[in-house]
Each structure stands twice: as C-alpha cells, then as structure tokens.
C-alpha cells in the first residue's frame, strides 16, 4: 500500500499526469488517500474536477473511496477502474482526456475567478488558459520566473 501524501505539506500529483490512460486519476487517488488519513489540508475529494472523472467513467465516488481505503496500490486501482470502464473505447477515453487537459473557464464568473487566480499564482504567464495549467501554477509546477 502506498502511504497517503500529507497535502498539508505537499501537493497531489498534477491533474495532467496520466495514470492508466486517464488524466486526473493520480490526483484523485492522492486526495482520496489524504482524506482517509486526515492529511488533506485544503484539498477536497470528490470536488467538481473529480466528479467530472467519476461522471465520465460512471464510477461511484464512495465505492472508489472504499477501494482506496482497502490499501490498494495505484496499479490495483487502475485495474479496478479499467474493469469498471470496459464500455468506454480507447478513443472515447483519449478524447475525454484531451478535452479535460484543454478545458478552461467558460462562464463570465469562471473567467473572472480564473484571471484573478492566474494573476496571483502566475503573473508572468498571461498565456495560461486551462484549469490544469492554473492548478499546476498554483502548486508550483509552472515557475513564475522570467
């Protein structure tokens, strides 16, 4: 069993990191393990980003959490996710991942929030346009140098 990350001191994996062919899955696992260990800090399991994954895969978040709580490794979790998503084709998964990586704010209030956060976390990077980029900037994976 992989030890739960302490998200009060570090960050979950990037939403763009692929695990088992899915973006976001590694991050969801990190947050779920941290919630179970009560080391989640500000992070929320089953937040809107997580729910997009659960809705796409038709996986129940509480069932997922129970699986993670049983101590399964990343590889075992991936195998379980794949067993639950056999109705999804490789093309559908790839398209969903592409759309997720490219997804940015749409509504006016989302755009306002996004731009305020971008100015705070990545003021030297006006080209950031996606939620994944914003999370990576906030968590220090996009450096604000230069």
């Amino acid at each position: 069993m992989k030890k739960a990350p302490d998200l009060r001191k570090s960050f979950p994996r990037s939403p763009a990191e692929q695990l088992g062919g899915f973006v976001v899955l590694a991050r969801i696992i990190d947050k779920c393990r941290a919630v179970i260990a009560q080391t989640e800090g500000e992070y929320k399991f089953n937040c809107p980003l997580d729910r997009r994954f659960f809705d796409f895969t038709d996986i129940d978040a509480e069932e997922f959490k129970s699986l993670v709580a049983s101590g399964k490794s990343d590889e075992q979790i991936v195998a379980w996710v794949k067993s639950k998503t056999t109705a999804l084709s490789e093309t559908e998964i790839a398209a969903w991942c592409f759309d997720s990586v490219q997804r940015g704010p749409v509504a006016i209030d989302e755009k306002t929030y996004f731009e305020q956060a971008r100015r705070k976390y990545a003021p030297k990077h006006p080209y950031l346009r996606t939620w994944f980029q914003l999370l990576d900037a906030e968590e220090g994976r996009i450096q604000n140098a230069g």
Side-chain angles (χ1 to χ4, degrees), residues 1-76:
M1 177 175 116
K2 186 171 179 179
K3 186 178 179 210
D6 187 343
L7 300 183
R8 299 167 300 184
K9 299 176 183 175
S10 64
F11 302 111
R13 286 175 272 187
S14 170
E17 182 176 326
Q18 286 205 10
L19 181 64
F22 291 95
V23 295
V24 184
L25 179 57
R27 183 180 186 86
I28 293 171
I29 293 170
D30 287 350
K31 292 190 306 175
C32 188
R33 284 181 176 139
V35 165
I36 292 163
Q38 298 182 335
T39 60
E40 72 272 21
E42 298 179 357
Y43 289 91
K44 307 282 186 248
F45 170 72
N46 205 19
C47 69
L49 179 61
D50 300 356
R51 284 194 301 275
R52 287 189 81 250
F53 171 82
F54 292 131
D55 289 347
F56 172 68
T57 59
D58 201 29
I59 290 174
D60 179 76
E62 289 306 311
E63 184 181 1
F64 182 91
K65 187 176 180 183
S66 293
L67 177 78
V68 172
S70 73
K72 302 291 187 207
S73 68
D74 283 1
E75 295 76 20
Q76 291 169 314

Side-chain angles (χ1 to χ4, degrees), residues 90-102:
E90 293 286 326
T91 302
E92 289 170 312
I93 293 169
W96 181 83
C97 290
F98 179 85
D99 289 344
S100 295
V101 169
Q102 298 301 316

